[in-house]
Amino acid sequence: MKAIIFIGTNKSGSSREAIKAAEKLGYFTVLFTNNTKQLQQRKAYPDIHKMVLIDTSNIEDMIEEIHNLFDTGLEIKSIVSFVDPFVHIASILCDEFCQNYTSSSAIEMMEDKEKTRNILKDQPYSPKFVLKKPHESFTNNMVFPLIIKSPKSTGSKDVLFATNKDQLDTHLTFLQNKNPGETIMIEEYIDGPQYLVEALVYKSQVHTIGIIEQEITQGKRFIITGYGVLAEVPPHIQKGIEEVLHSIVDVFDIENGTLHLELRLTDNGWKLIEINPRISGGAMNNMLHAAFGFSYVEETLKLFLGEQPNVNPRHNKFIFTKYVIVESKGVLERVIGRTRASKSTGVVDVYVKPRKGTILTPPLSMGHRYAYVIAEGKSLAQAKNNAITAAKEIKFLIKAL
């Protein structure tokens, strides 16, 4: 039986949609997970045919388990991950056990923000940055405000904002204590509207899957709370983004693969915020499906299996996704308004993540977004209004701790 091994998944979002797509394509699905809760909630994952509890950071343990799966008669066609930080690990295992149609070296560089910044440092779209190595003294010669981050951070975790020396020193101390052996990256703060770009490369041909305006909420962290998928992209935006995208594909020598970029449009042109070697998580696959009529994760799996993906839009719709966050910490007692939200004008999808009894907190990472509404409209402004109106119906009743 033909099988695909997935390393890690979230309960919902792009990583879970990919497993469902594999089952739809007729593959036996195997999940390697280090999340004991997923085994305890096994019935909630009917699309996963075999679930293996394993240390997903230990390659040797996974190699042994893959040999065991071969011994049961499974024909493993690919090993993949749609979850940070397992994309590179999955690709290494795919190199060993399957025909890998993507590049492990390119994935490794994109997964590490330090390596990414170094390889792109001479490109006009690369922001100014300095690296503080462990136990090195640091003299700041950059102009405030600054962004301080761990090169391994994902989902806005450990991405900090400093407007003065005291904040900079505080953030450096925090990150040094949290990750004593890691480099810390200090970057210039880039101001301007932010866009997310989903892209697929097949046989060196670059396909721009979607260009999405991002709405950022700044609290203790920079959290994306709104995504506007452009059914029609202004020519100057399309041209500038594709120039950066093609440059990155050339620099990383990507022949086949998927990636997403976050870019800001400044007075000095486009500036790259980050790259990730996978589709964005959360609602991204569902919002792209609503906008263009195809499953991006399904077409990505075809790419990983050596087949030609079909990413030609079946239709073009303006789509806006609004995420719901909370402003205070507490225990969730009840969620109200989900049905009203789903019946609101233009709504395509509504998702609420937490269960009763979950501790909710103001966002320190993308994982602290607790619901979303996807809505369509005849224009982006209308889609946004529809999504925001519906999202206001969803309320988390929480008991303060």
Side-chain angles (χ1 to χ4, degrees):
M1 185 178 292
K2 293 180 179 179
I4 299 175
I5 297 174
F6 292 84
I7 301 180
T9 186
N10 295 313
K11 191 169 185 179
S12 66
S14 301
S15 58
R16 182 67 184 282
E17 295 297 323
I19 296 175
K20 292 177 180 178
E23 184 191 40
K24 179 186 170 188
L25 290 170
Y27 287 88
F28 186 86
T29 59
V30 180
L31 174 68
F32 286 0
T33 180
N34 59 5
N35 187 342
T36 54
K37 186 185 287 187
Q38 291 180 333
L39 246 71
Q40 293 163 0
Q41 299 175 354
R42 184 68 182 87
K43 290 182 179 178
Y45 298 85
D47 41 290
I48 299 171
H49 302 132
K50 184 175 180 61
M51 191 180 287
V52 180
L53 185 64
I54 196 167
D55 181 356
T56 46
S57 64
N58 189 318
I59 290 183
E60 295 305 317
D61 284 358
M62 288 192 285
I63 287 173
E64 183 178 342
E65 185 59 39
I66 292 167
H67 281 297
N68 293 338
L69 291 171
F70 273 114
D71 290 342
T72 66
L74 287 179
E75 184 184 353
I76 298 166
K77 303 302 290 185
S78 192
I79 302 169
V80 301
S81 182
F82 289 74
V83 180
D84 284 316
F86 305 126
V87 181
H88 179 233
I89 290 173
S91 188
I92 290 172
L93 291 169
C94 195
D95 285 334
E96 183 160 345
F97 290 100
C98 318
Q99 183 168 354
N100 193 350
Y101 294 92
T102 64
S103 167
S104 293
S105 60
I107 289 170
E108 180 190 20
M109 286 187 287
M110 285 187 282
E111 217 169 52
D112 189 316
K113 292 175 175 59
E114 180 180 349
K115 290 181 178 178
T116 295
R117 284 291 184 233
N118 278 325
I119 198 172
L120 295 174
K121 63 184 178 183
D122 295 326
Q123 300 297 328
Y125 48 82
S126 179
K128 297 173 186 174
F129 71 98
V130 291
L131 299 171
K132 182 188 178 302
K133 300 292 183 181
H135 313 300
E136 279 186 358
S137 59
F138 172 71
T139 302
N140 178 45
N141 295 316
M142 297 177 69
V143 177
F144 289 101
L146 297 171
I147 297 293
I148 302 92
K149 65 172 75 168
S150 161
K152 302 277 195 306
S153 77
T154 59
S156 293
K157 294 186 291 288
D158 299 334
V159 178
L160 307 167
F161 182 68
T163 59
N164 55 53
K165 185 180 182 302
D166 287 345
Q167 287 183 345
L168 173 61
D169 292 342
T170 298
H171 294 333
L172 288 174
T173 300
F174 170 76
L175 291 179
Q176 284 168 339
N177 291 339
K178 185 173 182 180
N179 305 298
E182 279 192 9
T183 298
I184 297 172
M185 188 180 296
I186 299 99
E187 299 177 348
E188 65 172 323
Y189 173 71
I190 304 297
D191 197 14
Q194 184 160 304
Y195 294 81
L196 184 147
V197 184
E198 292 286 348
L200 178 146
V201 186
Y202 176 65
K203 293 186 175 178
S204 301
Q205 183 83 23
V206 183
H207 300 270
T208 304
I209 304 299
I211 295 175
I212 299 114
E213 290 184 359
Q214 292 185 307
E215 183 180 274
I216 301 171
T217 298
Q218 185 178 342
K220 290 186 176 181
R221 300 291 187 274
F222 294 90
I223 304 298
I224 313 299
T225 52
Y227 296 81
V229 185
L230 300 180
E232 300 165 5
V233 184
H236 71 285
I237 289 178
Q238 183 97 32
K239 181 175 183 292
I241 282 176
E242 292 194 345
E243 284 175 357
V244 175
L245 177 59
H246 281 78
S247 170
I248 287 168
V249 169
D250 288 343
V251 170
F252 285 92
D253 193 23
I254 303 170
E255 185 177 344
N256 296 294
T258 59
L259 66 155
H260 71 266
L261 318 177
E262 288 184 356
L263 298 157
R264 284 198 175 184
L265 182 55
T266 74
D267 293 339
N268 297 314
W270 291 94
K271 296 293 180 181
L272 178 69
I273 304 302
E274 68 175 40
I275 309 174
N276 286 289
R278 55 172 178 80
I279 182 178
S280 302
M284 183 54 64
N285 186 65
N286 286 347
M287 67 178 94
L288 290 173
H289 185 268
F292 305 120
F294 63 85
S295 167
Y296 185 32
V297 291
E298 182 176 325
E299 300 308 320
T300 298
L301 286 175
K302 291 178 185 176
L303 176 76
F304 291 160
L305 294 161
E307 301 171 17
Q308 181 171 350
N310 178 4
V311 291
N312 295 318
R314 285 40 159 190
H315 58 241
N316 274 53
K317 294 182 180 179
F318 287 103
I319 295 293
F320 194 90
T321 300
K322 181 64 179 176
Y323 274 87
V324 182
I325 56 178
V326 298
E327 295 181 357
S328 59
K329 188 173 183 177
V331 178
L332 178 62
E333 294 189 325
R334 191 177 166 209
V335 182
I336 60 173
R338 186 180 344 203
T339 301
R340 285 195 300 276
S342 65
K343 292 179 179 178
S344 294
T345 303
V347 169
V348 174
D349 189 23
V350 175
Y351 176 72
V352 176
K353 181 168 69 170
R355 297 180 175 186
K356 181 180 178 180
T358 302
I359 296 175
L360 307 188
T361 183
L364 295 175
S365 75
M366 298 292 196
H368 295 146
R369 302 177 301 180
Y370 296 118
Y372 65 73
V373 173
I374 302 176
E376 64 182 31
K378 292 181 180 178
S379 66
L380 188 60
Q382 187 183 74
K384 181 176 181 178
N385 183 63
N386 289 342
I388 291 173
T389 300
K392 286 178 180 175
E393 299 286 356
I394 300 171
K395 293 182 173 58
F396 295 101
L397 306 183
I398 60 178
K399 182 180 180 180
L401 291 172

